[in-house]
Amino acid sequence: MIPEDVITEIKRRADIGEVIGRHVKLKRVGRNLVGLCPFHTEKSPSFNVRPDDGFFYCFGCKATGDVVEFLVRTTGRGFLDIITELAGQTGVEIPKGQVDPEEEARQKEKKRLLRALELAQVFFKTRLSSEAGQGARAYLADVRKIDDDTIDRFGIGWGGAADDGLVTFLKEQGIPVDDGVAAGVLGRSERGPYDFFRHRVTVPIRGTRGEIVSFQGRIFGERATDAQGKKRPKYVNGPQTGVYDKSGVLFGLFEAQPALKQGKPAVLGEGPLDAIAVHRAGLPSSVAPCGTGLTMRHVEELRRRTERVVVCMDADAAGKDAAARAILMMLSAGLDVGLAALPDKDPDAMVAAGRADELRGILLGAPAAL
């Protein structure tokens, strides 16, 4: 067990307003912070955070507790997992031998996977800027119309042309192949390990603290078809891992948090490149699921941060079906939902065609979904 005085010091050092502010949009009222309660549906804010006293309280549902209790209730993670993470963030040392062995092993694995992902991002960015990445850069600039500022802001990269470029790079950095596979950036076949995102433009997916938890890859050019002329999947998404739960992570949420805290509505798109297109159109509050349909956990992540979501799916039949499902889920959670009807295929196509202002106008003027 962790000594009680150590736990008390961790809680004392943790900024409860900053921690809860990652999950709930808060406004300062005097010495306290106020927002919509994440534990029940409400239209008027009754959720209070008292930084000076180190606790939260909801006048509606009567939920109360400290920073650890909040994280346990909102994330579903265990006490030891959370208190260990907060200890690292606040600089409090937990005496050796006091951490549960299973929890200690889980934390060590998490650090290894995040390190592998961080290094994979270094490799992808380096490959994109290399001479070999000229084709990928041309695809981004000429086909997707994505400028250098956007590439840098979202960390867009390229998986390289070799089957084992990242395999070799990670080995050189002391990262075992098993960790690369567990992190979702390497795969295994009968011929051995291989680069999961080879030949693809890569987009990092970040957790709410900005840490890279996975990637999405987009095929392009002659590699879009195989030797037999069969089309390869346009997108591949990183698998479920020890640091990435795709049913709870929304692409772009980390980047959108400043705009959401300013009261801007969230914009829900189909995928990362559409979310990036909406950011480029002047609405830096766009998010999207990755490799899975919208879940209620996604909806809860949005509800903690905003009151209004504009649904902006592709204009095809699949997009309309996805929009209908998303609208029903968000209405059931008490959100104010708007529906953007696009005249073109998707947000990315509109921005690439030079119609960013038109897209922004449609999103800002989106009527109520129902």
Side-chain angles (χ1 to χ4, degrees):
M1 296 292 291
I2 301 175
E4 196 62 38
D5 61 330
V6 174
I7 294 174
T8 299
E9 180 63 12
I10 292 169
K11 292 179 180 180
R12 186 188 70 80
R13 293 195 192 183
D15 186 336
I16 189 171
E18 193 273 332
V19 172
I20 293 181
R22 301 173 194 159
H23 302 264
V24 179
K25 187 174 71 172
L26 299 171
K27 294 182 179 179
R28 181 164 293 280
V29 178
R31 299 173 65 182
N32 300 330
L33 301 167
V34 178
L36 294 175
C37 180
F39 306 119
H40 79 286
T41 301
E42 62 178 4
K43 293 289 187 181
S44 300
S46 60
F47 182 77
N48 278 246
V49 180
R50 303 184 180 182
D52 292 346
D53 301 314
F55 74 91
F56 66 86
Y57 180 76
C58 177
F59 289 93
C61 68
K62 312 304 180 186
T64 188
D66 56 27
V67 63
V68 175
E69 174 66 15
F70 177 85
L71 290 173
V72 168
R73 294 187 60 169
T74 55
T75 67
R77 296 159 60 198
F79 174 84
L80 282 174
D81 185 9
I82 288 169
I83 203 70
T84 303
E85 183 174 277
L86 286 175
Q89 294 174 3
T90 56
V92 177
E93 183 177 352
I94 297 177
K96 291 184 178 180
Q98 302 296 334
V99 179
D100 177 77
E102 291 186 6
E103 177 60 29
E104 186 173 24
R106 187 161 54 246
Q107 290 298 323
K108 287 182 178 179
E109 180 191 27
K110 181 178 178 181
K111 288 182 179 179
R112 294 200 311 271
L113 300 190
L114 291 175
R115 178 60 176 162
L117 289 158
E118 179 184 348
L119 287 171
Q121 173 67 350
V122 171
F123 176 81
F124 296 150
K125 289 292 292 179
T126 303
R127 287 288 79 203
L128 181 64
S129 62
S130 70
E131 183 177 350
Q134 182 177 355
R137 295 196 303 274
Y139 168 74
L140 290 169
D142 300 338
V143 178
R144 309 306 297 218
K145 307 298 182 185
I146 297 177
D147 58 28
D148 290 342
D149 179 65
T150 301
I151 289 172
D152 290 340
R153 187 157 28 116
F154 286 92
I156 297 172
W158 176 52
D163 288 345
D164 60 353
L166 180 59
V167 174
T168 301
F169 177 77
L170 291 179
K171 285 181 178 179
E172 291 173 345
Q173 306 305 314
I175 304 297
V177 168
D178 286 348
D179 284 358
V181 173
V185 293
L186 301 182
R188 287 189 187 277
S189 70
E190 294 178 354
R191 294 183 295 177
Y194 63 89
D195 294 7
F196 191 76
F197 294 100
R198 64 199 185 283
H199 308 302
R200 294 176 180 271
V201 166
T202 60
V203 181
I205 301 165
R206 299 181 184 274
T208 54
R209 293 186 301 276
E211 74 281 17
I212 295 175
V213 295
S214 190
F215 295 88
Q216 182 181 83
R218 193 355 171 138
I219 201 72
F220 65 95
E222 62 183 19
R223 286 287 178 173
T225 56
D226 62 20
Q228 288 72 43
K230 183 179 179 181
K231 289 185 177 180
R232 291 188 170 98
K234 285 184 180 180
Y235 295 95
V236 294
N237 295 282
Q240 197 95 345
T241 70
V243 295
Y244 177 49
D245 182 355
K246 61 183 66 179
S247 67
V249 176
L250 282 167
F251 172 82
L253 188 57
F254 170 73
E255 292 84 356
Q257 285 181 135
L260 294 176
K261 287 183 178 181
Q262 293 171 8
K264 291 182 171 60
V267 178
L268 179 70
E270 280 200 31
L273 288 178
D274 286 323
I276 290 173
V278 173
H279 278 256
R280 293 164 61 203
L283 281 175
S285 56
S286 184
V287 299
C290 299
T292 185
L294 190 73
T295 69
M296 284 307 299
R297 287 180 61 194
H298 293 144
V299 173
E300 283 301 310
E301 288 291 336
L302 290 173
R303 193 176 72 85
R304 291 176 191 138
R305 294 168 173 82
T306 186
E307 299 175 10
R308 178 171 170 78
V309 179
V310 176
V311 176
C312 181
M313 301 296 185
D314 292 0
D316 57 17
K320 291 177 181 178
D321 288 343
R325 291 193 297 271
I327 288 167
L328 290 175
M329 293 171 69
M330 288 187 287
L331 287 174
S332 71
L335 285 163
D336 175 17
V337 186
L339 176 61
L342 298 182
D344 209 336
K345 179 183 176 183
D346 54 42
D348 185 54
M350 291 187 69
V351 173
R355 299 163 64 188
D357 290 343
E358 181 183 354
L359 173 61
R360 184 171 63 253
I362 291 171
L363 294 171
L364 292 173
L370 289 179

